[in-house]
Amino acid sequence: MNLEKVLAISGQPGLYALKLQTRTGFVAESLIDGKKITVGLRSNVSLLSEISIYTHSAEKPLAEVMRAIAEKENNGPAISHKEDPAKLIAYFEEVLPDYDEDRVYASDIKKVLNWYNMLQAKGLVSKEAPAEKKTAAQESEADDAAPAKAPKTADDAPKAPAKKAAPKAKKDKE
């Protein structure tokens, strides 16, 4: 599940997909109706990939929570976010038993389930873990760890750059 370009915009209903950046903000497309809107830099915008849920041990990324919901529902829709708060809390305890009840409110659970159902309707959630991407730092570490090949013969050895000839001195005419 890739939440890298999925946005929640304060004051706007639903979720949006980031389409392109402009000088004054960016263009986002609604996942509900496909309408495109321009969003200024001063708007309060959250990337879903940056959101975490508090647990007693550590913070759990939203993608992992949604993957747990997808596993529980076999990639199907979750219960409606309009259910009774007690029922939502009981459901969320099944999905994430370690969540911090003091810092995760019923309104947060409603939002997560609403977002999950929106993404599930668009086919953007799955119970499979995403393939690990190598970052530039990881790739450079892999390159550093690889042993350097020694030249086989003198012909294979790297050649030193040729020296430039010294400039000729000009003779003064007397």
Side-chain angles (χ1 to χ4, degrees):
M1 167 181 340
N2 189 2
L3 300 178
E4 290 295 320
K5 293 191 175 192
V6 180
L7 310 168
I9 303 170
S10 181
Q12 299 289 333
L15 295 174
Y16 293 83
L18 177 65
K19 289 300 175 184
L20 65 110
Q21 256 183 314
T22 64
R23 281 185 288 132
T24 59
F26 55 90
V27 176
E29 182 180 355
S30 172
L31 293 180
I32 297 172
D33 56 10
K35 291 183 181 178
K36 292 183 180 174
I37 63 168
T38 56
V39 181
L41 293 174
R42 295 180 184 242
S43 298
N44 189 6
V45 178
S46 300
L47 278 167
L48 265 54
S49 61
E50 300 295 319
I51 296 175
S52 297
I53 302 294
Y54 293 113
T55 64
H56 293 291
S57 57
E59 293 180 8
K60 191 115 171 155
L62 184 62
E64 290 182 25
V65 174
M66 289 196 176
R67 193 172 308 111
I69 295 171
E71 286 176 10
K72 178 178 176 12
E73 298 297 335
N74 198 21
N75 285 341
I79 64 171
S80 173
H81 65 284
K82 296 180 181 179
E83 293 285 341
D84 180 53
K87 190 172 182 180
L88 293 175
I89 291 170
Y91 179 84
F92 205 69
E93 285 176 344
E94 291 176 21
V95 173
L96 191 64
D98 192 29
Y99 88 97
D100 190 349
E101 302 87 7
D102 296 332
R103 298 195 291 178
V104 178
Y105 302 109
S107 61
D108 300 327
I109 295 170
K110 283 183 179 185
K111 199 177 290 186
V112 168
L113 292 174
N114 187 20
W115 288 347
Y116 172 83
N117 285 331
M118 275 190 244
L119 293 171
Q120 189 275 333
K122 292 291 183 182
L124 298 175
V125 295
S126 68
K127 57 185 175 181
E128 283 81 32
E132 290 291 324
K133 291 186 208 175
K134 281 190 175 181
T135 63
Q138 290 173 334
E139 288 177 4
S140 67
E141 287 175 8
D143 292 342
D144 292 344
K149 293 183 180 178
K152 294 177 186 173
T153 63
D155 294 335
D156 293 339
K159 305 227 186 310
K163 292 183 181 179
K164 291 185 179 181
K168 295 180 181 179
K170 292 183 181 180
K171 293 182 180 180
D172 293 330
K173 291 184 180 181
E174 294 180 19

Coordinates of all heavy atoms in Angstrom, one line a residue, residues 102-174:
D102 N -5.5 6.4 25.7 CA -5.5 7.8 26.3 C -5.2 8.9 25.2 O -5.6 10.0 25.3 CB -4.5 7.9 27.4 CG -4.8 7.1 28.6 OD1 -6.0 6.8 28.8 OD2 -3.9 6.6 29.3
R103 N -4.5 8.5 24.2 CA -4.1 9.5 23.1 C -4.8 9.3 21.8 O -4.7 10.1 20.9 CB -2.6 9.4 23.0 CG -1.8 9.8 24.2 CD -0.4 10.1 24.0 NE 0.4 9.0 23.6 CZ 1.7 9.1 23.4 NH1 2.3 10.2 23.4 NH2 2.4 8.0 23.0
V104 N -5.4 8.1 21.6 CA -6.1 7.9 20.3 C -7.6 8.0 20.7 O -8.1 7.1 21.4 CB -5.8 6.5 19.7 CG1 -6.6 6.3 18.4 CG2 -4.3 6.4 19.4
Y105 N -8.3 9.0 20.1 CA -9.7 9.2 20.5 C -10.6 8.5 19.5 O -10.2 8.1 18.4 CB -10.0 10.7 20.4 CG -9.1 11.5 21.4 CD1 -8.1 12.3 20.9 CD2 -9.2 11.4 22.8 CE1 -7.2 13.0 21.8 CE2 -8.4 12.1 23.7 CZ -7.4 12.9 23.2 OH -6.6 13.6 24.1
A106 N -11.9 8.5 19.8 CA -12.9 7.9 18.9 C -12.9 8.6 17.6 O -13.1 8.0 16.5 CB -14.3 7.9 19.6
S107 N -12.7 10.0 17.6 CA -12.7 10.8 16.4 C -11.5 10.3 15.5 O -11.7 10.3 14.2 CB -12.6 12.2 16.7 OG -11.5 12.6 17.4
D108 N -10.4 10.0 16.1 CA -9.3 9.5 15.3 C -9.6 8.2 14.6 O -9.2 7.9 13.5 CB -8.0 9.4 16.2 CG -7.6 10.7 16.8 OD1 -7.8 11.7 16.2 OD2 -7.1 10.6 17.9
I109 N -10.2 7.3 15.4 CA -10.6 6.0 14.9 C -11.6 6.1 13.7 O -11.5 5.5 12.7 CB -11.2 5.1 16.0 CG1 -10.1 4.8 17.0 CG2 -11.8 3.8 15.4 CD1 -10.6 4.1 18.3
K110 N -12.6 7.1 13.8 CA -13.5 7.3 12.8 C -12.8 7.8 11.5 O -13.1 7.3 10.4 CB -14.5 8.4 13.2 CG -15.6 8.0 14.1 CD -16.5 9.2 14.4 CE -17.6 8.7 15.3 NZ -18.6 9.8 15.5
K111 N -11.8 8.7 11.7 CA -11.1 9.2 10.5 C -10.3 8.1 9.8 O -10.3 8.0 8.6 CB -10.1 10.3 11.0 CG -9.7 11.2 9.9 CD -8.8 12.3 10.5 CE -9.6 13.3 11.3 NZ -8.9 14.5 11.7
V112 N -9.6 7.2 10.6 CA -8.9 6.1 10.0 C -9.8 5.2 9.3 O -9.4 4.8 8.1 CB -8.1 5.4 11.1 CG1 -7.5 4.1 10.6 CG2 -7.0 6.3 11.7
L113 N -10.9 4.8 9.9 CA -11.8 3.9 9.2 C -12.4 4.5 7.9 O -12.6 3.9 6.9 CB -12.9 3.4 10.1 CG -12.4 2.5 11.3 CD1 -13.5 2.2 12.3 CD2 -11.8 1.2 10.7
N114 N -12.7 5.8 8.0 CA -13.3 6.5 6.8 C -12.2 6.5 5.7 O -12.5 6.2 4.6 CB -13.7 7.9 7.2 CG -14.4 8.7 6.1 OD1 -14.9 8.1 5.2 ND2 -14.4 10.0 6.2
W115 N -11.0 6.9 6.1 CA -9.9 6.9 5.1 C -9.7 5.5 4.5 O -9.5 5.3 3.3 CB -8.6 7.4 5.7 CG -8.6 8.8 6.0 CD1 -9.5 9.8 5.6 CD2 -7.6 9.5 6.8 NE1 -9.1 11.0 6.1 CE2 -8.0 10.9 6.8 CE3 -6.5 9.1 7.5 CZ2 -7.3 11.8 7.5 CZ3 -5.8 10.1 8.2 CH2 -6.2 11.4 8.2
Y116 N -9.7 4.5 5.3 CA -9.5 3.1 4.9 C -10.6 2.7 3.8 O -10.3 2.2 2.8 CB -9.5 2.1 6.0 CG -9.5 0.7 5.5 CD1 -8.3 0.0 5.1 CD2 -10.7 0.0 5.3 CE1 -8.3 -1.2 4.6 CE2 -10.7 -1.3 4.8 CZ -9.5 -1.9 4.5 OH -9.5 -3.2 4.0
N117 N -11.8 3.0 4.2 CA -12.9 2.7 3.3 C -12.8 3.5 1.9 O -13.2 2.9 0.9 CB -14.3 2.9 3.9 CG -14.6 1.8 4.9 OD1 -14.1 0.7 4.8 ND2 -15.3 2.1 6.0
M118 N -12.4 4.7 2.0 CA -12.2 5.5 0.7 C -11.1 4.9 -0.1 O -11.3 4.7 -1.3 CB -11.8 6.9 1.1 CG -13.0 7.8 1.3 SD -12.4 9.5 1.4 CE -12.8 9.9 3.1
L119 N -10.0 4.5 0.5 CA -8.9 4.0 -0.2 C -9.2 2.5 -0.7 O -8.8 2.2 -1.8 CB -7.6 3.9 0.6 CG -7.0 5.3 1.0 CD1 -5.9 5.1 2.0 CD2 -6.5 6.0 -0.2
Q120 N -10.0 1.8 0.1 CA -10.3 0.4 -0.3 C -11.3 0.5 -1.5 O -11.2 -0.3 -2.4 CB -11.0 -0.3 0.8 CG -11.3 -1.7 0.6 CD -12.6 -2.0 -0.1 OE1 -13.5 -1.3 0.0 NE2 -12.6 -3.1 -0.8
A121 N -12.2 1.5 -1.6 CA -13.1 1.6 -2.7 C -12.4 1.9 -4.0 O -12.8 1.5 -5.1 CB -14.1 2.7 -2.4
K122 N -11.2 2.6 -3.9 CA -10.4 2.9 -5.1 C -9.4 1.8 -5.4 O -8.6 1.9 -6.3 CB -9.7 4.2 -4.9 CG -10.6 5.4 -4.8 CD -11.1 5.6 -6.2 CE -12.0 6.9 -6.3 NZ -12.6 7.1 -7.6
G123 N -9.3 0.7 -4.5 CA -8.4 -0.3 -4.8 C -6.9 0.0 -4.4 O -6.0 -0.6 -4.9
L124 N -6.8 0.9 -3.4 CA -5.4 1.4 -3.0 C -4.9 0.7 -1.8 O -3.9 1.1 -1.3 CB -5.4 2.9 -2.9 CG -5.8 3.7 -4.1 CD1 -5.8 5.2 -3.8 CD2 -4.7 3.5 -5.2
V125 N -5.7 -0.2 -1.2 CA -5.2 -0.9 0.0 C -5.0 -2.4 -0.3 O -5.7 -3.0 -1.1 CB -6.2 -0.7 1.2 CG1 -6.2 0.7 1.7 CG2 -7.5 -1.3 0.9
S126 N -4.0 -3.0 0.4 CA -3.8 -4.4 0.3 C -3.2 -4.9 1.6 O -2.6 -4.2 2.3 CB -2.9 -4.7 -0.9 OG -1.6 -4.3 -0.7
K127 N -3.4 -6.2 1.8 CA -2.8 -6.8 3.0 C -1.4 -7.2 2.8 O -0.7 -7.6 3.8 CB -3.7 -7.9 3.5 CG -3.9 -9.1 2.5 CD -4.9 -10.1 3.1 CE -5.2 -11.1 2.0 NZ -6.1 -12.1 2.6
E128 N -0.8 -7.1 1.6 CA 0.6 -7.5 1.4 C 1.5 -6.3 1.8 O 1.1 -5.2 1.6 CB 0.8 -7.8 -0.1 CG 0.3 -9.2 -0.5 CD -1.2 -9.2 -0.8 OE1 -1.7 -8.2 -1.3 OE2 -1.9 -10.2 -0.5
A129 N 2.6 -6.7 2.3 CA 3.6 -5.7 2.7 C 4.2 -5.2 1.4 O 4.5 -5.9 0.5 CB 4.6 -6.2 3.6
P130 N 4.5 -3.8 1.3 CA 5.1 -3.3 0.1 C 6.6 -3.8 0.0 O 7.2 -4.1 1.0 CB 5.1 -1.8 0.3 CG 5.1 -1.6 1.8 CD 4.3 -2.8 2.3
A131 N 7.1 -3.9 -1.3 CA 8.4 -4.3 -1.5 C 9.3 -3.2 -1.0 O 9.0 -2.0 -1.1 CB 8.7 -4.5 -3.0
E132 N 10.4 -3.6 -0.4 CA 11.4 -2.6 0.2 C 12.1 -1.9 -1.0 O 12.6 -2.5 -1.9 CB 12.4 -3.3 1.1 CG 11.8 -3.8 2.3 CD 11.4 -2.7 3.3 OE1 12.1 -1.7 3.4 OE2 10.4 -2.9 4.0
K133 N 12.1 -0.6 -0.9 CA 12.8 0.2 -1.9 C 14.2 0.6 -1.3 O 14.3 0.8 -0.1 CB 12.1 1.6 -2.2 CG 10.8 1.4 -2.9 CD 10.3 2.8 -3.2 CE 8.8 2.8 -3.3 NZ 8.3 4.2 -3.5
K134 N 15.2 0.5 -2.2 CA 16.5 0.9 -1.7 C 16.6 2.4 -1.9 O 16.4 3.0 -2.9 CB 17.6 0.3 -2.6 CG 17.9 -1.2 -2.2 CD 19.1 -1.7 -2.9 CE 19.4 -3.1 -2.4 NZ 20.7 -3.5 -3.1
T135 N 17.1 3.1 -0.8 CA 17.3 4.5 -0.9 C 18.7 4.7 -1.4 O 19.5 3.8 -1.5 CB 17.2 5.1 0.5 OG1 18.2 4.6 1.4 CG2 15.8 4.9 1.2
A136 N 19.0 5.9 -1.7 CA 20.3 6.3 -2.3 C 21.4 5.9 -1.3 O 22.5 5.5 -1.6 CB 20.4 7.7 -2.7
A137 N 21.1 6.2 0.0 CA 22.1 5.8 1.1 C 22.4 4.3 1.1 O 23.5 3.9 1.3 CB 21.6 6.4 2.4
Q138 N 21.3 3.5 1.0 CA 21.5 2.1 1.1 C 22.3 1.6 -0.1 O 23.1 0.7 0.0 CB 20.1 1.4 1.1 CG 19.4 1.6 2.4 CD 18.0 1.0 2.4 OE1 17.4 0.9 1.3 NE2 17.5 0.7 3.6
E139 N 22.0 2.2 -1.3 CA 22.7 1.8 -2.5 C 24.2 2.1 -2.4 O 25.1 1.4 -2.8 CB 22.1 2.4 -3.8 CG 20.7 1.8 -4.1 CD 20.1 2.5 -5.3 OE1 20.7 3.4 -5.9 OE2 19.0 2.2 -5.6
S140 N 24.5 3.3 -1.9 CA 25.9 3.7 -1.7 C 26.6 2.8 -0.7 O 27.8 2.5 -0.9 CB 26.1 5.2 -1.4 OG 25.6 5.4 -0.1
E141 N 25.9 2.4 0.3 CA 26.5 1.5 1.3 C 26.8 0.1 0.6 O 27.8 -0.5 0.9 CB 25.6 1.2 2.5 CG 25.5 2.4 3.4 CD 24.5 2.2 4.5 OE1 23.9 1.1 4.6 OE2 24.2 3.2 5.3
A142 N 25.9 -0.3 -0.2 CA 26.1 -1.6 -0.9 C 27.3 -1.5 -1.9 O 28.1 -2.4 -2.0 CB 24.8 -2.0 -1.7
D143 N 27.4 -0.3 -2.5 CA 28.6 -0.1 -3.4 C 29.9 -0.1 -2.6 O 30.9 -0.6 -3.0 CB 28.5 1.2 -4.2 CG 27.3 1.1 -5.2 OD1 26.9 0.0 -5.5 OD2 26.9 2.2 -5.6
D144 N 29.9 0.5 -1.4 CA 31.1 0.6 -0.6 C 31.4 -0.8 0.0 O 32.6 -1.1 0.1 CB 30.9 1.5 0.6 CG 30.8 3.0 0.2 OD1 31.1 3.3 -1.0 OD2 30.3 3.8 1.0
A145 N 30.4 -1.6 0.2 CA 30.7 -3.0 0.8 C 31.2 -3.9 -0.2 O 31.9 -4.9 0.1 CB 29.4 -3.5 1.4
A146 N 30.9 -3.7 -1.5 CA 31.4 -4.6 -2.6 C 32.9 -4.4 -2.7 O 33.4 -3.3 -2.7 CB 30.7 -4.2 -3.9
P147 N 33.6 -5.5 -2.8 CA 35.1 -5.4 -2.9 C 35.5 -4.9 -4.3 O 34.9 -5.2 -5.3 CB 35.6 -6.9 -2.7 CG 34.4 -7.7 -3.1 CD 33.2 -6.9 -2.7
A148 N 36.5 -4.1 -4.3 CA 37.0 -3.5 -5.5 C 37.8 -4.6 -6.3 O 38.5 -5.4 -5.7 CB 37.9 -2.3 -5.2
K149 N 37.6 -4.6 -7.6 CA 38.3 -5.6 -8.4 C 39.7 -5.2 -8.6 O 39.9 -4.0 -9.0 CB 37.5 -5.8 -9.7 CG 36.2 -6.4 -9.5 CD 35.5 -6.7 -10.9 CE 34.2 -7.3 -10.7 NZ 33.5 -7.5 -12.0
A150 N 40.6 -6.1 -8.4 CA 42.0 -5.8 -8.7 C 42.3 -6.0 -10.2 O 41.7 -6.9 -10.8 CB 42.9 -6.7 -7.9
P151 N 43.1 -5.1 -10.8 CA 43.4 -5.3 -12.2 C 44.1 -6.6 -12.4 O 45.0 -7.0 -11.6 CB 44.3 -4.1 -12.5 CG 44.7 -3.5 -11.2 CD 43.8 -4.0 -10.2
K152 N 43.8 -7.3 -13.5 CA 44.4 -8.6 -13.8 C 45.8 -8.5 -14.3 O 46.7 -9.2 -14.0 CB 43.5 -9.3 -14.8 CG 42.1 -9.7 -14.3 CD 41.3 -10.3 -15.3 CE 39.9 -10.5 -14.8 NZ 38.9 -11.0 -15.8
T153 N 46.0 -7.5 -15.3 CA 47.3 -7.3 -15.8 C 47.6 -5.9 -15.8 O 46.8 -5.0 -15.5 CB 47.3 -7.8 -17.3 OG1 46.4 -7.0 -18.1 CG2 47.0 -9.3 -17.4
A154 N 48.8 -5.5 -16.2 CA 49.2 -4.1 -16.2 C 48.4 -3.4 -17.3 O 48.2 -2.2 -17.1 CB 50.7 -4.0 -16.5
D155 N 47.9 -4.0 -18.3 CA 47.1 -3.4 -19.3 C 45.7 -3.0 -18.8 O 45.1 -2.0 -19.2 CB 47.0 -4.3 -20.6 CG 48.3 -4.5 -21.3 OD1 49.2 -3.6 -21.1 OD2 48.4 -5.5 -21.9
D156 N 45.2 -3.7 -17.8 CA 43.9 -3.4 -17.3 C 43.9 -2.3 -16.2 O 42.9 -1.8 -15.8 CB 43.3 -4.7 -16.6 CG 43.0 -5.8 -17.7 OD1 42.9 -5.4 -18.8 OD2 42.9 -6.9 -17.3
A157 N 45.1 -2.0 -15.7 CA 45.2 -1.0 -14.6 C 44.8 0.3 -15.2 O 45.1 0.6 -16.3 CB 46.6 -1.0 -14.1
P158 N 44.2 1.2 -14.3 CA 43.8 2.5 -14.8 C 45.1 3.3 -15.1 O 46.1 3.2 -14.4 CB 43.0 3.1 -13.7 CG 43.3 2.2 -12.5 CD 43.8 0.9 -13.0
K159 N 45.0 4.1 -16.2 CA 46.1 4.8 -16.6 C 46.0 6.2 -16.0 O 45.0 6.8 -15.8 CB 46.1 5.0 -18.1 CG 46.0 3.7 -18.9 CD 47.0 3.6 -20.0 CE 46.9 2.4 -20.8 NZ 46.9 1.1 -20.3
A160 N 47.2 6.8 -15.6 CA 47.3 8.1 -15.1 C 47.1 9.1 -16.2 O 47.4 8.8 -17.4 CB 48.7 8.3 -14.5
P161 N 46.4 10.2 -15.9 CA 46.2 11.2 -17.0 C 47.5 11.7 -17.6 O 48.5 11.9 -16.8 CB 45.4 12.3 -16.3 CG 45.6 12.1 -14.9 CD 45.9 10.7 -14.7
A162 N 47.5 12.0 -18.8 CA 48.7 12.5 -19.5 C 49.0 13.9 -19.0 O 48.1 14.7 -18.7 CB 48.5 12.5 -21.0
K163 N 50.3 14.2 -18.8 CA 50.7 15.5 -18.4 C 50.7 16.5 -19.5 O 51.0 16.1 -20.7 CB 52.1 15.4 -17.8 CG 52.2 14.6 -16.5 CD 53.6 14.7 -16.0 CE 53.8 13.9 -14.7 NZ 55.1 13.9 -14.2
K164 N 50.3 17.7 -19.2 CA 50.2 18.7 -20.2 C 51.6 19.3 -20.4 O 52.4 19.4 -19.5 CB 49.3 19.9 -19.8 CG 47.9 19.5 -19.8 CD 47.0 20.7 -19.5 CE 45.6 20.3 -19.5 NZ 44.7 21.4 -19.2
A165 N 51.9 19.6 -21.7 CA 53.3 20.2 -22.0 C 53.3 21.6 -21.4 O 52.3 22.3 -21.3 CB 53.5 20.3 -23.5
A166 N 54.5 21.9 -20.9 CA 54.6 23.3 -20.3 C 54.6 24.3 -21.4 O 55.0 24.1 -22.5 CB 56.0 23.3 -19.6
P167 N 53.9 25.4 -21.1 CA 53.8 26.5 -22.1 C 55.2 27.0 -22.5 O 56.1 27.1 -21.6 CB 53.0 27.5 -21.5 CG 53.0 27.3 -20.0 CD 53.3 25.8 -19.9
K168 N 55.4 27.3 -23.8 CA 56.7 27.8 -24.3 C 56.8 29.2 -23.8 O 55.9 30.0 -23.9 CB 56.8 27.7 -25.8 CG 56.8 26.2 -26.3 CD 56.9 26.2 -27.7 CE 56.9 24.7 -28.2 NZ 57.0 24.6 -29.6
A169 N 58.0 29.6 -23.4 CA 58.3 30.9 -23.0 C 58.4 31.8 -24.2 O 59.1 31.4 -25.2 CB 59.5 31.0 -22.1
K170 N 57.9 33.0 -24.2 CA 58.0 33.9 -25.3 C 59.3 34.6 -25.2 O 59.7 35.1 -24.1 CB 56.8 34.9 -25.3 CG 55.5 34.3 -25.6 CD 54.5 35.4 -25.6 CE 53.1 34.8 -25.9 NZ 52.1 35.8 -25.9
K171 N 60.0 34.7 -26.3 CA 61.2 35.5 -26.3 C 60.9 36.9 -26.6 O 60.2 37.2 -27.6 CB 62.2 34.9 -27.3 CG 62.6 33.5 -27.0 CD 63.6 33.0 -28.0 CE 64.0 31.6 -27.7 NZ 65.0 31.0 -28.6
D172 N 61.5 37.8 -25.9 CA 61.3 39.2 -26.1 C 62.2 39.7 -27.3 O 63.4 39.3 -27.4 CB 61.8 40.0 -24.9 CG 60.8 39.8 -23.8 OD1 59.6 39.5 -24.0 OD2 61.2 39.9 -22.6
K173 N 61.6 40.4 -28.2 CA 62.4 40.9 -29.3 C 63.1 42.2 -28.9 O 62.5 43.1 -28.4 CB 61.5 41.2 -30.5 CG 61.0 39.9 -31.1 CD 60.2 40.2 -32.3 CE 59.6 39.0 -33.0 NZ 58.8 39.3 -34.2
E174 N 64.4 42.3 -29.1 CA 65.1 43.5 -28.7 C 65.6 44.3 -29.8 O 65.8 44.0 -30.9 CB 66.3 43.1 -27.8 CG 65.9 42.5 -26.6 CD 67.0 42.0 -25.7 OE1 68.2 42.5 -25.9 OE2 66.8 41.2 -24.9

